């Protein structure tokens, strides 16, 4: 008798953990790259939406909210159309996220394309590596002369 309420509580917590990151807006500024933090961008027919942002470790994070449960693909391309990454979104998955390691890419503009069979979102991002600033460590040194007492 006690297991049914426990199952309901676990199911509720699991659904909260899955949907909470998708509804949160990232408002922190990322100063190490010139990558704009975007909110959700909807497809023309609004059957899915996507957002991109940079994680603290430098990875490019792409999240997709697939309301129609269609088959989707995520692509990263250069502005000349050369494909850098291709990630299929599993069928029947309403929330999906992926991380792309962009540390080895050159500075410049890139296209993130999230598409289904008849809809498409294109987001242009500008990656610009920042010159790392060395860490500053400060220390205080006190020089004490011993006092000779008479």
């Amino acid at each position: 008798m006690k297991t049914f309420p426990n199952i309901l509580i676990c199911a509720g917590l699991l659904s909260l953990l899955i949907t909470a990151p998708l509804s949160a807006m990232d408002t922190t500024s990322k100063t190490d790259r010139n990558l704009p933090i975007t909110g959700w961008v909807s497809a023309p027919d609004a059957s899915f939406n996507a957002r991109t942002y940079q994680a603290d470790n430098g990875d490019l994070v792409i999240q997709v909210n697939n309301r129609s449960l269609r088959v989707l693909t995520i692509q990263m391309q250069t502005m000349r159309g050369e494909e850098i990454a291709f990630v299929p979104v599993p069928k029947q998955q309403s929330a999906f996220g992926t991380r792309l390691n962009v540390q080895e890419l050159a500075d410049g503009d890139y296209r993130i394309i999230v598409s289904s069979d008849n809809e498409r979102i294109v987001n242009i991002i500008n990656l610009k590596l920042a010159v790392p600033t060395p860490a500053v460590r400060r220390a205080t040194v006190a020089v004490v002369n011993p006092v000779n007492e008479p």
Side-chain angles (χ1 to χ4, degrees):
M1 195 68 177
K2 202 173 190 184
T3 57
F4 185 71
N6 288 342
I7 291 173
L8 287 177
I9 290 171
C10 289
L13 287 175
L14 182 62
S15 66
L16 179 65
L17 289 174
I18 290 172
T19 58
L22 295 177
S23 62
M25 295 300 291
D26 189 2
T27 58
T28 59
S29 63
K30 307 288 190 244
T31 57
D32 53 339
R33 286 194 183 232
N34 192 14
L35 179 68
I37 297 172
T38 62
W40 290 98
V41 178
S42 294
D45 292 336
S47 66
F48 65 91
N49 55 22
R51 75 176 235 181
T52 59
Y53 66 91
Q54 187 177 9
D56 291 335
N57 66 353
D59 289 351
L60 178 65
V61 177
I62 304 166
Q63 294 179 326
V64 177
N65 185 0
N66 186 6
R67 292 186 291 269
S68 66
L69 301 178
R70 292 182 176 181
V71 175
L72 300 176
T73 58
I74 299 171
Q75 293 176 306
M76 183 174 185
Q77 297 179 347
T78 64
M79 295 306 284
R80 291 180 279 163
E82 299 165 342
E83 188 173 89
I84 296 170
F86 180 85
V87 180
V89 177
K91 188 177 181 179
Q92 303 295 322
Q93 189 161 354
S94 64
F96 181 79
T98 188
R99 288 177 174 256
L100 302 177
N101 184 348
V102 293
Q103 299 295 325
E104 301 295 321
L105 295 177
D107 294 353
D109 291 336
Y110 294 90
R111 276 192 288 253
I112 304 298
I113 303 168
V114 181
S115 59
S116 69
D117 53 351
N118 63 349
E119 294 176 290
R120 183 176 178 168
I121 296 173
V122 177
N123 189 6
I124 297 178
I125 59 170
N126 180 273
L127 296 179
K128 187 171 184 178
L129 291 172
V131 177
T133 56
V136 176
R137 295 182 185 206
R138 297 176 191 247
T140 304
V141 178
V143 179
V144 179
N145 290 330
V147 178
N148 292 334
E149 293 187 19

